[in-house]
C-alpha cells in the first residue's frame, strides 16, 4: 500500500487475521485495515474496543462490513458468556468437592493453618511444632496417667509464653491459656481426657484460636493501610509491659507452685485415695454427692495440699518422716464399722458397731466416743448414743463400741454415720544437725564439705508412729551449719511443724497441749515466735526435764504451752525460734562452741521434740433408712 | 616284652630326675634385689574402726569397746616427740558417752614406708569404751561415731634436672642432657608435686679468668596438689623464722641416722603437734590449706615464692629460683638433683553409724 509504513500495515493485518471475522474478503479487510490505520489502532485490544464503539458504527465503512463485524461481535459475546458460565460452574463444583473433601474438623484446622504461613517465626514455630505433636505426641503423652497431661500442659504453656504472647497480646494469650487449662483438667479424668485428646486436643483448639487472632490482626493491619495509608497495627502492642509481666507471673505462681513444690493434689490422685471417695460419689443425686464429697474431705485435702505447698514456699514449714517400726500402728485405729442390718426402718433402732484398736505410747489413752448421722444433702447432724462413752487403754487392746439411734430419730434416706474417737496422745521426733566452725565451713565449702567431712546434705526428722508427724527441718536447710561466736544467732532457725498423719476424712488434731524441745546444752533457743510477748508461754527448764523428772547435762529443755489452750478456732501447729550459742560474751560463746565441737572438725548433735495433743479419729459408714413395710 | 617295660620305667624315672634337677638349678640361682621406690602413693595415715568395734547396733544403756587400726602408708616417719600423729574419737554426746581423754585421744608413732618397713608400720589402738544413753520413746536412733587423725607430714620430691647452657652458648651440638619439664603423680604422701616447669634464665658470659664461661640461673615453677582424702593445714614450723629453715635433706640417700639428723629442724618448730591439732575445731584464719615449701638444687638452697603457699581448690603454684648471688657458671650441660620438700599438717576423718536400739 502506497504511503503506508510496511511495519504498521503488517501489524494491522495480524490484528485482522486474529479477529477472524467471517464473511469478509480481502478487499473488505484492506478497507478495514485502512480504517484502523486512520484511527491509529495498534493492538488487538484497541481494535476490539473500537469495533464495539459508536465511532465505528458512524464510520464511512461499507454497511456490509459493519454488519459482518456486528454479527462477529455478537457471536463472540455469546461465547464469552458461555465460557464465563462454564468457569463459574466448574469453580462451584470444585469448591463443593473441596469442601466435601475437607469436611472433617481436623482438616478444617489444617486448612486454617495454611494461612499461618506468613506468621512471624516464633509463632509459626509454635503452630508447626504442635501440628506435628498432634499426630504423634500429644495423644500418646496423654495416655500417661496424670503426668502426661501435666507434661503436655507444661510444655505448651512455656512455649506459648515465649512464642505466642508477644504476637497476639495478653488478653488473647490468656484465652489460649484457658483452653489449655480446660484441656488439662479434663485430661486428669482417666479415660475421658484421652478420648478428648484424640477427637479434639486442647493444643489444636488453642492453635485454631491463635490462627483466628492472627487473621484478625492481619485484617486490622490492612484496614489501617487503607484508612491511614501507613503500615502497622495502629496501636503498638505492649505484651511485655510491666503490668502484663506481673499478671503472667501471678498466673505462673498460682499454677506452678502447688504442682512444682508439693504435688500433693496429684499424689492424692495417684495414691488412689480418690477412688474411695468417688465410689461414694456415683449413684447419688447431685446434692447428696456434694455432701458426701464435703464429708469425705475431698476438697479439704486439695485445700490442705495448697496450703502446705504455700507454706513450704514461704520456708516456715518443717517436714519429717515416721520412724520405721514393726509395731505399727500406735494410737487408735477404727478397724471396722458394722451396720447390723442391710437397711433399717424409721420405726426401729439403727445400731452400728465399731472395733477400736488402741496401743499406748507413753501415757494411758483415754478415749471418748461419739457418733452422728448425717443425711445426704442436709447439714444438721443427729447424735447417736455410744456405749461405752469413754474408756482407757492401758497398754494394747481392742474395744467394741456400739452406736444407737433411737426409733423415729432418723427419717427415710441414706445417712452417713460418723464414729468419732477423741483421745490424748504424744509424739516424739528427733533430728540430727551437723555443726562446724565458720573457718572450717569457709575453707572446705568449695571443696565439697559434705563429702570431705562425711556429712549428709540434708537432715530429715524422724517421728514416732502415731496420728501426727513432727517436721523439724525446712527443706532449704543444708548441712552442715556453721557456728561463729561473733554472731548473735546461728544462721538457721529451729522450728517445729505438726502435721496430721492420718488422712482419713474428719480425723484431725483437735488441740495441742504443749511442746517440749530438747536442744544440745551448748545452744539456746531465743526469739521464739510462739513464746508470747514476755516469754510467758515458754519455760526454760535448763538441764532438768521436768516432764519426765530427770536431769541431762547434754540437753537444755524448753516447754512451749499452747497460748490458745481450751479456746476453739485457734491453731497452734508450728513454732520457730532462733538458735544461739550459750553465753552472753564472746568468750562464753567461744567456750560453748569448743564444747559443742569437742575437738572435732564437725559435731553431730541431736534435737528432740515431744508434743502432747488431743486427736479425733473418725471413720464413717453409710446406712439406709426405709419407711416401715406397707406404709409407702 | 619285659625289657620294653623296664625301658619305659627307666625313661619315666629319667624324666622325673631331669625335672627335679632343672627345678633345683633355677630355684637356687642368684636373685637380684629389687630397687623399690617407697616414695609412691597418695596415702599418709590410713585408719578406720576395726570391724565390730564398735558394732553397728547397740542397745541403750550398754557399753561397747572401740578400736581403731592405723597404718602409716606414706613415706614419712612419725616417730618422735616433734613428729607424731593424734587420733581423736568423737561421738554425739547427746546419745554416746565416751571414756576419759587418755582413751579417746591417742598418740600415733608409726614409721612410714622404707627398706625397714616396706609397707609402713601399722598398729591397733584401743579408744576406750563408749556407752549409749537412753533414747526416750524412739524405737531406735542412729548416731555417728567418728575418728579424726591429725599429723604433721612431709612430701619429698627428688628428680634430676639438666643444667642447660645451650640457650646462652647457642651450642646446638649433642649434649649430655637438655632441659625439660617434669610431671609426676605422687610421692608417698597426701600432698604431691604434680609438675615442675624448668627454666634456665641466661645471665650472659664471664671471661674474668681468661676463659669464657656461660652464666645461667635456673628457675622452677612447681605445682603441688592435695591428692589425699583429707584436708591440709599449716605446718608446725615457725613461719616468722623461715630463713632459719635448713634446706631439705636428700630423701634418696637418707638412712636411719640421717633421718635422725633431720630432726634438727626442731630449732624452728613453733607448734607442738597437740597444739596445732587442738585448733581443728576452732581454727584461726591462716589454718587450712597452707603448705611450707623448701627446695634445693645440687648444693644450693632455692628461694621459693611464696614459701608458704595457700592451696586453692587443693592446688598451689610456687616459683623457686636461686638467690641473687648464686648462679651456675659453665660451658657443658650436666644433670643436677632437684629436691623439694613440702611440710604441712594433715587432717582426715572417718565416720561410722551406730544404731541405738531401745530394747
Amino acid at each position: 500500500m502506497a504511503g503506508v509504513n510496511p511495519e504498521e500495515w503488517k501489524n494491522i493485518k495480524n490484528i485482522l487475521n486474529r479477529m477472524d471475522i467471517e464473511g469478509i474478503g480481502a478487499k473488505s479487510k484492506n478497507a478495514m485495515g485502512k480504517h484502523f490505520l486512520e484511527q491509529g489502532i495498534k493492538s488487538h485490544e484497541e481494535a476490539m474496543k473500537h469495533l464495539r464503539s459508536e465511532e465505528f458504527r458512524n464510520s464511512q465503512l461499507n454497511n456490509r462490513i459493519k454488519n459482518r463485524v456486528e454479527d462477529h461481535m455478537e457471536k463472540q459475546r455469546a461465547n464469552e458468556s458461555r465460557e464465563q458460565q462454564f468457569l463459574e460452574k466448574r469453580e462451584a463444583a470444585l469448591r463443593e468437592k473441596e469442601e466435601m473433601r475437607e469436611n472433617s474438623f481436623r482438616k478444617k484446622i489444617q486448612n486454617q493453618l495454611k494461612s499461618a504461613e506468613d506468621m512471624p517465626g516464633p509463632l509459626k514455630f509454635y503452630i508447626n511444632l504442635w501440628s506435628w505433636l498432634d499426630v504423634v505426641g500429644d495423644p500418646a503423652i496423654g495416655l500417661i496417667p496424670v503426668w502426661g497431661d501435666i507434661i503436655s500442659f507444661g510444655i505448651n504453656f512455656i512455649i506459648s509464653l515465649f512464642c505466642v504472647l508477644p504476637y497476639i497480646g495478653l488478653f488473647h494469650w490468656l484465652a489460649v491459656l484457658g483452653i489449655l487449662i480446660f484441656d488439662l483438667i479434663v485430661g486428669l479424668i482417666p479415660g475421658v481426657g484421652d478420648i478428648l485428646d484424640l477427637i479434639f486436643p486442647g493444643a489444636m483448639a488453642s492453635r485454631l484460636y491463635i490462627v483466628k487472632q492472627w487473621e484478625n490482626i492481619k485484617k486490622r493491619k490492612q484496614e489501617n493501610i487503607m484508612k491511614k495509608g501507613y503500615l502497622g497495627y495502629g496501636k503498638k502492642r505492649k505484651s511485655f509491659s510491666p503490668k502484663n509481666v506481673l499478671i503472667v507471673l501471678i498466673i505462673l505462681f498460682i499454677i506452678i507452685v502447688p504442682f512444682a513444690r508439693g504435688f500433693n493434689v496429684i499424689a492424692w490422685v495417684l495414691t488412689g485415695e480418690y477412688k474411695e471417695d468417688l465410689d461414694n460419689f456415683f449413684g447419688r443425686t447431685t446434692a447428696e454427692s456434694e455432701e458426701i464429697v464435703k464429708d469425705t474431705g475431698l476438697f479439704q485435702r486439695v485445700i490442705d495440699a495448697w496450703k502446705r505447698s504455700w507454706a513450704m514456699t514461704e520456708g516456715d514449714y518443717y517436714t519429717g518422716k515416721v520412724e520405721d517400726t514393726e509395731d505399727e500402728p500406735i494410737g487408735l485405729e477404727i478397724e471396722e464399722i458394722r451396720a447390723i442390718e442391710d437397711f433399717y426402718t424409721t420405726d426401729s433402732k439403727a445400731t452400728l458397731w465399731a472395733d477400736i484398736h488402741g496401743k499406748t505410747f507413753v501415757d494411758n489413752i483415754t478415749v471418748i466416743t461419739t457418733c452422728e448421722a448425717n443425711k445426704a444433702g442436709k447439714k444438721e447432724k443427729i447424735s447417736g448414743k455410744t456405749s461405752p462413752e469413754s474408756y482407757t487403754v492401758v497398754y494394747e487392746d481392742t474395744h467394741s463400741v456400739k452406736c444407737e439411734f433411737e426409733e423415729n430419730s432418723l427419717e427415710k434416706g441414706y445417712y452417713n454415720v460418723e464414729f468419732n474417737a477423741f483421745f490424748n496422745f504424744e509424739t516424739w521426733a528427733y533430728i540430727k544437725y551437723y555443726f562446724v566452725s565458720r573457718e572450717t565451713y569457709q575453707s572446705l565449702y568449695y571443696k565439697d564439705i559434705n563429702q570431705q567431712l562425711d556429712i549428709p546434705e540434708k537432715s530429715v526428722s524422724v517421728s514416732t508412729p502415731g496420728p501426727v508427724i513432727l517436721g523439724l527441718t525446712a527443706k532449704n536447710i543444708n548441712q552442715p551449719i556453721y557456728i561463729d561466736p561473733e554472731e548473735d544467732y546461728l544462721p538457721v532457725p529451729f522450728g517445729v511443724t505438726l502435721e496430721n498423719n492420718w488422712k482419713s476424712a474428719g480425723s484431725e488434731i483437735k488441740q495441742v497441749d504443749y511442746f517440749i524441745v530438747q536442744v544440745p546444752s551448748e545452744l539456746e533457743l531465743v526469739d521464739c515466735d510462739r513464746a508470747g510477748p514476755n516469754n510467758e508461754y515458754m519455760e526454760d527448764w535448763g538441764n532438768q526435764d521436768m516432764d519426765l523428772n530427770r536431769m541431762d547435762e547434754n540437753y537444755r529443755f524448753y516447754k512451749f504451752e499452747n497460748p490458745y489452750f481450751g479456746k476453739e478456732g485457734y491453731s497452734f501447729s508450728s513454732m520457730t525460734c532462733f538458735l544461739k550459742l550459750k553465753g552472753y560474751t564472746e568468750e562464753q560463746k567461744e567456750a560453748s562452741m569448743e564444747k559443742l565441737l569437742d575437738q572435732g572438725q564437725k559435731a553431730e548433735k541431736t534435737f528432740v521434740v515431744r508434743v502432747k495433743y488431743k486427736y479425733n479419729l473418725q471413720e464413717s459408714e453409710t446406712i439406709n433408712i426405709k419407711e416401715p413395710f406397707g406404709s409407702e | 616284652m619285659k625289657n620294653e617295660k623296664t625301658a619305659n620305667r627307666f625313661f619315666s624315672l629319667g624324666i622325673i630326675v631331669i625335672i627335679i634337677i632343672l627345678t633345683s638349678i633355677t630355684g637356687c640361682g642368684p636373685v637380684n634385689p629389687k630397687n623399690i621406690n617407697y616414695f609412691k602413693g597418695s596415702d599418709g595415715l590410713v585408719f578406720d574402726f576395726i570391724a565390730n568395734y564398735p558394732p553397728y547396733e547397740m542397745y541403750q544403756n550398754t557399753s561397747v569397746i572401740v578400736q581403731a587400726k592405723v597404718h602409716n602408708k606414706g613415706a614419712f616417719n612419725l616417730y618422735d616427740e616433734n613428729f607424731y600423729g593424734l587420733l581423736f574419737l568423737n561421738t554425739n554426746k547427746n546419745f554416746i558417752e565416751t571414756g576419759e581423754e587418755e582413751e579417746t585421744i591417742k598418740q600415733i608413732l608409726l614409721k612410714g614406708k622404707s627398706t625397714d618397713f616396706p609397707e609402713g608400720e601399722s598398729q591397733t589402738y584401743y579408744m576406750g569404751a563408749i556407752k549409749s544413753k537412753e533414747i526416750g520413746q524412739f524405737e531406735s536412733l542412729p548416731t555417728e561415731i567418728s575418728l579424726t587423725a591429725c599429723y604433721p607430714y612431709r612430701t619429698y620430691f627428688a628428680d634430676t634436672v639438666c643444667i642447660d647452657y645451650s640457650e646462652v652458648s647457642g651450642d646446638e651440638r649433642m649434649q649430655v642432657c637438655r632441659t625439660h619439664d617434669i610431671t609426676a603423680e605422687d610421692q608417698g604422701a597426701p600432698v604431691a608435686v604434680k609438675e615442675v616447669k624448668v627454666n634456665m634464665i641466661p645471665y650472659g658470659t664471664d671471661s674474668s679468668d681468661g676463659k669464657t664461661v656461660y652464666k645461667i640461673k635456673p628457675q622452677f615453677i612447681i605445682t603441688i596438689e592435695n591428692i589425699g582424702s583429707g584436708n591440709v593445714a599449716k605446718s608446725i614450723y615457725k613461719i616468722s623464722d623461715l630463713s632459719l629453715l635448713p634446706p631439705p635433706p636428700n630423701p634418696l640417700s637418707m638412712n636411719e641416722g640421717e633421718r635422725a639428723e633431720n630432726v634438727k629442724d626442731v630449732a624452728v618448730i613453733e607448734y607442738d603437734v597437740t597444739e596445732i591439732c587442738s585448733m581443728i575445731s576452732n581454727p584461726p584464719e591462716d589454718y587450712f590449706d597452707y603448705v611450707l615449701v623448701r627446695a634445693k638444687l645440687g648444693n644450693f638452697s632455692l628461694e621459693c615464692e611464696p614459701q608458704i603457699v595457700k592451696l586453692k581448690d587443693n592446688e598451689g603454684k610456687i616459683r623457686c629460683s636461686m638467690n641473687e648471688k648464686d648462679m651456675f657458671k659453665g660451658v657443658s650441660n650436666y644433670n643436677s638433683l632437684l629436691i623439694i620438700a613440702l611440710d604441712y599438717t594433715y587432717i582426715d576423718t572417718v565416720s561410722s553409724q551406730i544404731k541405738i536400739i531401745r530394747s
Side-chain angles (χ1 to χ4, degrees):
Chain A
M1 237 169 109
V4 175
N5 185 337
E7 283 299 315
E8 284 181 0
W9 183 244
K10 195 181 172 186
N11 184 37
I12 293 293
K13 276 184 83 175
N14 281 340
I15 292 168
L16 286 165
N17 287 338
R18 194 176 160 193
M19 282 179 170
D20 194 23
I21 301 166
E22 284 179 22
I24 293 182
K27 207 175 170 184
S28 299
K29 273 189 182 174
N30 279 341
M32 276 187 76
K34 195 180 169 188
H35 175 75
F36 284 173
L37 277 173
E38 282 168 5
Q39 296 297 321
I41 288 165
K42 286 178 179 167
S43 66
H44 178 257
E45 285 75 25
E46 283 174 3
M48 292 299 286
K49 200 177 169 186
H50 176 70
L51 294 180
R52 288 189 186 107
S53 67
E54 282 294 315
E55 210 177 345
F56 175 71
R57 287 191 200 103
N58 301 330
S59 68
Q60 299 295 319
L61 276 171
N62 191 331
N63 279 339
R64 194 178 62 84
I65 295 172
K66 282 184 188 172
N67 291 338
R68 291 277 185 264
V69 169
E70 193 67 34
D71 291 347
H72 175 76
M73 296 304 285
E74 190 62 36
K75 272 185 191 169
Q76 203 160 29
R77 265 197 294 273
N79 282 343
E80 276 175 4
S81 171
R82 270 203 303 280
E83 197 176 342
Q84 183 66 30
Q85 280 174 8
F86 170 76
L87 283 173
E88 277 174 8
K89 271 187 186 171
R90 199 176 71 162
E91 204 173 312
L94 280 172
R95 208 164 40 237
E96 198 179 339
K97 201 174 170 186
E98 187 75 7
E99 273 173 13
M100 280 177 72
R101 197 159 59 85
E102 297 180 350
N103 58 352
S104 76
F105 187 71
R106 273 175 179 274
K107 287 285 176 190
K108 255 184 194 171
I109 294 170
Q110 294 295 349
N111 204 32
Q112 289 264 12
L113 294 181
K114 281 177 193 164
S115 68
E117 277 173 8
D118 60 343
M119 283 179 170
L123 203 55
K124 202 152 80 176
F125 164 75
Y126 176 83
I127 300 290
N128 290 337
L129 176 74
W130 285 97
S131 297
W132 182 81
L133 282 178
D134 268 350
V135 184
V136 190
D138 203 34
I141 292 171
L143 289 174
I144 306 166
V146 182
W147 283 101
D149 296 290
I150 292 165
I151 291 165
S152 174
F153 171 78
I155 295 168
N156 211 331
F157 176 82
I158 291 162
I159 298 176
S160 77
L161 183 67
F162 294 103
C163 296
V164 177
L165 174 65
Y167 299 99
I168 66 165
L170 181 67
F171 177 78
H172 295 301
W173 180 78
L174 286 177
V176 170
L177 192 62
I179 297 169
L180 295 177
I181 291 171
F182 171 76
D183 186 53
L184 173 69
I185 292 165
V186 176
L188 288 176
I189 304 169
V192 178
D194 301 322
I195 295 162
L196 189 80
D197 263 350
L198 288 169
I199 303 167
F200 182 74
M204 185 180 279
S206 64
R207 272 199 337 271
L208 182 63
Y209 184 83
I210 293 163
V211 170
K212 280 269 179 201
Q213 290 316 312
W214 178 248
E215 278 176 357
N216 290 341
I217 288 165
K218 273 199 300 184
K219 212 168 145 189
R220 278 205 298 278
K221 188 177 157 187
Q222 287 296 331
E223 281 168 10
N224 279 330
I225 294 168
M226 298 294 285
K227 281 180 194 168
K228 299 174 184 174
Y230 67 88
L231 199 68
Y233 295 107
K235 188 181 171 188
K236 199 182 171 192
R237 299 194 160 270
K238 289 183 179 173
S239 300
F240 278 124
S241 70
K243 192 181 85 182
N244 289 353
V245 169
L246 187 68
I247 293 169
V248 170
L249 285 176
I250 290 167
I251 293 165
L252 254 174
F253 190 74
I254 292 167
I255 295 168
I256 301 294
V257 163
F259 287 106
R261 298 304 301 265
F263 284 100
N264 290 305
V265 180
I266 300 152
W268 166 76
V269 177
L270 288 176
T271 51
E273 281 182 38
Y274 75 98
K275 281 182 188 162
E276 190 187 323
D277 301 325
L278 289 177
D279 282 346
N280 291 330
F281 192 86
F282 294 116
R284 317 213 184 250
T285 65
T286 311
E288 282 174 346
S289 303
E290 278 175 7
E291 280 306 310
I292 287 164
V293 167
K294 271 185 203 166
D295 291 345
T296 49
L298 203 81
F299 293 136
Q300 193 54 47
R301 255 175 277 169
V302 176
I303 290 161
D304 285 349
W306 274 77
K307 277 184 186 169
R308 200 176 305 132
S309 306
W310 181 267
M312 278 179 182
T313 319
E314 291 285 291
D316 58 358
Y317 195 91
Y318 302 94
T319 56
K321 65 171 189 176
V322 179
E323 191 178 20
D324 292 328
T325 171
E326 293 166 3
D327 301 327
E328 278 190 283
I330 289 179
L332 287 193
E333 184 191 16
I334 299 179
E335 290 178 331
E336 191 186 9
I337 303 176
R338 302 180 305 277
I340 58 170
E341 299 294 346
D342 290 340
F343 64 90
Y344 301 91
T345 53
T346 51
D347 61 347
S348 68
K349 272 187 180 177
T351 308
L352 294 93
W353 286 86
D355 294 336
I356 304 175
H357 175 258
K359 187 177 179 185
T360 60
F361 178 53
V362 182
D363 301 325
N364 292 344
I365 300 174
T366 303
V367 185
I368 298 166
T369 60
T370 58
C371 70
E372 288 175 321
N374 174 217
K375 191 175 183 185
K378 291 196 174 176
K379 282 187 179 173
E380 66 270 22
K381 291 181 177 178
I382 299 144
S383 295
K385 187 178 178 340
T386 54
S387 179
E389 285 181 345
S390 69
Y391 63 92
T392 303
V393 180
V394 176
Y395 177 67
E396 183 176 8
D397 58 26
T398 301
H399 276 72
S400 289
V401 178
K402 185 173 73 177
C403 168
E404 270 185 341
F405 295 92
E406 292 300 322
E407 297 92 337
N408 301 316
S409 62
L410 301 178
E411 297 169 358
K412 180 196 165 189
Y414 281 98
Y415 284 84
N416 194 44
V417 178
E418 294 165 354
F419 258 99
N420 294 294
F422 181 79
F423 64 102
N424 60 300
F425 210 67
E426 186 170 346
T427 296
W428 289 41
Y430 71 84
I431 189 162
K432 292 189 286 181
Y433 274 17
Y434 295 83
F435 296 98
V436 294
S437 71
R438 187 180 194 125
E439 185 61 32
T440 305
Y441 188 82
Q442 283 175 341
S443 301
L444 304 181
Y445 186 79
Y446 291 106
K447 289 191 256 175
D448 192 352
I449 190 166
N450 298 86
Q451 191 257 326
Q452 290 264 326
L453 298 182
D454 197 11
I455 295 171
E457 282 185 14
K458 301 278 179 192
S459 208
V460 180
S461 65
V462 178
S463 295
T464 51
V468 156
I469 291 181
L470 279 168
L472 305 183
T473 184
K475 291 220 173 219
N476 53 359
I477 293 180
N478 292 327
Q479 304 293 331
I481 296 156
Y482 71 81
I483 41 177
D484 185 348
E486 288 179 21
E487 299 281 345
D488 289 338
Y489 300 145
L490 265 60
V492 296
F494 180 76
V496 185
T497 296
L498 207 68
E499 194 188 331
N500 187 4
N501 188 32
W502 293 350
K503 303 287 185 189
S504 68
S507 295
E508 58 186 346
I509 305 156
K510 293 303 271 188
Q511 183 167 269
V512 174
D513 298 349
Y514 55 83
F515 288 102
I516 291 170
V517 182
Q518 292 175 224
V519 301
S521 57
E522 301 84 7
L523 299 172
E524 288 175 349
L525 292 179
V526 284
D527 277 357
C528 300
D529 56 7
R530 291 304 183 98
N534 301 310
N535 286 344
E536 61 265 37
Y537 297 109
M538 181 176 98
E539 289 174 30
D540 183 352
W541 289 342
N543 299 125
Q544 175 104 31
D545 182 354
M546 293 178 47
D547 193 46
L548 298 177
N549 200 20
R550 64 186 174 119
M551 282 286 289
D552 193 335
E553 293 296 329
N554 293 305
Y555 278 116
R556 195 178 183 93
F557 296 86
Y558 294 91
K559 181 184 181 186
F560 291 87
E561 286 183 1
N562 182 357
Y564 312 112
F565 187 78
K567 292 179 187 172
E568 282 282 330
Y570 289 94
S571 170
F572 179 57
S573 61
S574 191
M575 50 153 282
T576 305
C577 302
F578 284 104
L579 280 167
K580 72 178 271 291
L581 280 165
K582 187 180 165 189
Y584 298 101
T585 63
E586 209 171 293
E587 289 73 33
Q588 287 173 331
K589 287 196 213 168
E590 196 146 335
S592 296
M593 184 175 96
E594 278 176 13
K595 196 179 165 207
L596 183 82
L597 293 172
D598 192 25
Q599 294 184 314
Q601 273 190 295
K602 61 167 182 180
E604 181 202 83
K605 290 287 167 185
T606 311
F607 293 72
V608 179
V609 178
R610 359 199 252 263
V611 59
K612 289 202 176 188
Y613 53 91
K614 307 279 190 315
Y615 194 86
N616 186 63
L617 177 67
Q618 190 182 82
E619 288 289 339
S620 57
E621 176 67 18
T622 308
I623 57 167
N624 187 7
I625 307 291
K626 294 182 174 181
E627 291 289 351
F629 184 70
S631 63
E632 284 180 290
Chain B
M1 196 67 181
K2 196 181 171 184
N3 285 343
E4 199 179 327
K5 268 189 180 176
T6 312
N8 283 342
R9 278 178 192 157
F10 268 106
F11 178 74
S12 306
L13 192 66
I15 294 288
I16 292 164
V17 169
I18 289 165
I19 290 169
I20 291 167
I21 292 167
L22 282 175
T23 313
S24 308
I25 291 167
T26 52
C28 298
V31 179
N32 291 325
K34 260 190 178 174
N35 190 13
I36 301 166
N37 178 10
Y38 299 108
F39 295 90
K40 289 290 287 176
S42 60
D43 295 319
L45 288 188
V46 176
F47 57 99
D48 207 343
F49 294 100
I50 289 182
N52 289 321
Y53 294 94
Y56 297 113
E57 290 182 350
M58 64 190 290
Y59 289 103
Q60 65 179 9
N61 288 326
T62 57
S63 296
V64 293
I65 286 167
V66 178
Q67 291 192 70
K69 187 175 183 182
V70 186
H71 188 171
N72 188 352
K73 284 192 172 180
F76 187 68
N77 290 342
L78 295 171
Y79 71 106
D80 62 39
E81 71 273 19
N82 293 313
F83 291 91
Y84 60 88
L86 286 174
L87 188 68
F88 302 90
L89 174 71
N90 298 103
T91 61
N92 180 347
K93 295 284 190 298
N94 297 131
F95 289 103
I96 300 271
E97 279 177 1
T98 55
E100 295 298 313
E101 202 171 84
E102 298 83 61
E103 288 179 332
T104 58
I105 303 176
K106 287 283 185 256
Q107 190 185 42
I108 310 293
L109 292 166
L110 295 171
K111 289 187 176 179
K113 288 191 288 188
S114 66
T115 45
D116 301 335
F117 297 96
E119 298 296 323
E121 249 188 320
S122 68
Q123 198 175 323
T124 300
Y125 292 89
Y126 170 75
M127 305 301 290
I130 55 168
K131 190 185 175 193
S132 60
K133 296 168 75 175
E134 282 189 13
I135 58 167
Q137 294 301 318
F138 302 108
E139 285 279 310
S140 64
L141 197 141
T143 186
E144 194 181 272
I145 179 166
S146 64
L147 287 169
T148 301
C150 173
Y151 52 98
Y153 222 67
R154 182 177 295 163
T155 302
Y156 279 116
F157 171 89
D159 206 343
T160 52
V161 171
C162 185
I163 307 300
D164 191 346
Y165 295 100
S166 310
E167 277 201 32
V168 200
S169 64
D171 188 351
E172 291 300 320
R173 287 176 299 176
M174 179 78 87
Q175 295 283 347
V176 178
C177 61
R178 292 279 185 188
T179 304
H180 60 89
D181 295 339
I182 305 163
T183 52
E185 284 296 314
D186 44 52
Q187 292 91 37
V191 178
V193 173
K194 298 295 280 187
E195 190 184 35
V196 179
K197 288 195 177 209
V198 184
N199 194 10
M200 297 291 157
I201 301 168
Y203 262 73
T205 55
D206 185 358
S207 307
S208 55
D209 298 341
K211 191 180 165 190
T212 303
V213 289
Y214 305 106
K215 295 193 287 185
I216 53 167
K217 188 170 272 196
Q219 190 189 67
F220 304 97
I221 309 292
I222 302 160
T223 306
I224 63 170
E225 193 181 328
N226 174 13
I227 53 171
S229 57
N231 304 301
V232 176
K234 68 179 183 181
S235 80
I236 55 175
Y237 288 98
K238 192 168 187 174
I239 294 168
S240 58
D241 287 339
L242 285 174
S243 58
L244 296 175
L245 277 175
N250 182 356
L252 303 176
S253 67
M254 276 199 295
N255 56 34
E256 202 61 28
E258 282 171 329
R259 278 173 186 259
E261 277 294 300
N262 184 20
V263 184
K264 66 187 175 186
D265 283 358
V266 74
V268 286
I269 281 174
E270 182 179 22
Y271 298 106
D272 178 35
V273 173
T274 311
E275 201 178 345
I276 205 147
C277 289
S278 67
M279 297 178 195
I280 289 175
S281 59
N282 188 16
E285 265 183 38
D286 61 342
Y287 188 74
F288 280 116
D289 295 327
Y290 286 92
V291 176
L292 170 68
V293 184
R294 288 180 289 162
K296 188 166 84 171
L297 180 63
N299 289 320
F300 295 98
S301 279
L302 300 177
E303 282 183 353
C304 294
E305 177 59 35
Q307 184 137 31
I308 295 166
V309 62
K310 183 167 171 64
L311 304 184
K312 195 179 173 190
D313 293 333
N314 281 329
E315 199 181 281
K317 278 191 194 302
I318 314 105
R319 190 184 71 244
C320 292
S321 53
M322 291 178 77
N323 65 35
E324 282 301 312
K325 296 178 289 177
D326 299 329
M327 64 181 70
F328 283 90
K329 293 175 186 173
V331 179
S332 304
N333 293 2
Y334 65 96
N335 279 320
S336 185
L337 187 65
L338 172 70
I339 298 161
I340 302 166
L342 311 173
D343 279 279
Y344 46 88
T345 303
Y346 208 74
I347 301 156
D348 208 352
T349 302
V350 293
S351 306
S352 178
Q353 291 283 326
I354 300 180
K355 194 193 243 185
I356 305 171
I357 300 165
R358 192 168 59 179
S359 57

